[in-house]
Amino acid sequence: MNKQSNAPAMAAGMALGAAAGAMAMWAAGQNSRQYKKMAKKAAHTAEQAVLGLDRMMKDFRM
């Protein structure tokens, strides 16, 4: 049986969900050009966060 904790993955998922919700609330009052620009920045930031978590998990497991 796998005894590793799922807490880091769960915390990361909750953080990404909160960020997505905040972006949706912000986007409700913006025009489409600003929304597209913000969505592109958010996607890049999310990608960097996931890559950072991957690096952290690799370092933790070694």
Side-chain angles (χ1 to χ4, degrees), residues 24-46:
M25 291 295 293
W26 173 85
Q30 302 299 317
N31 68 31
S32 63
R33 184 176 179 192
Q34 288 176 324
Y35 177 75
K36 287 177 185 178
K37 184 178 179 180
M38 185 62 183
K40 185 176 179 180
K41 286 183 179 181
H44 177 73
T45 302

Side-chain angles (χ1 to χ4, degrees), residues 2-55:
N2 188 356
K3 301 247 185 214
Q4 291 180 340
S5 174
N6 289 332
M10 186 169 54
M14 290 173 60
L16 289 173
M23 186 178 142
M25 291 295 293
W26 173 85
Q30 302 299 317
N31 68 31
S32 63
R33 184 176 179 192
Q34 288 176 324
Y35 177 75
K36 287 177 185 178
K37 184 178 179 180
M38 185 62 183
K40 185 176 179 180
K41 286 183 179 181
H44 177 73
T45 302
E47 181 181 359
Q48 294 301 317
V50 170
L51 291 174
L53 287 172
D54 284 343
R55 283 191 301 269

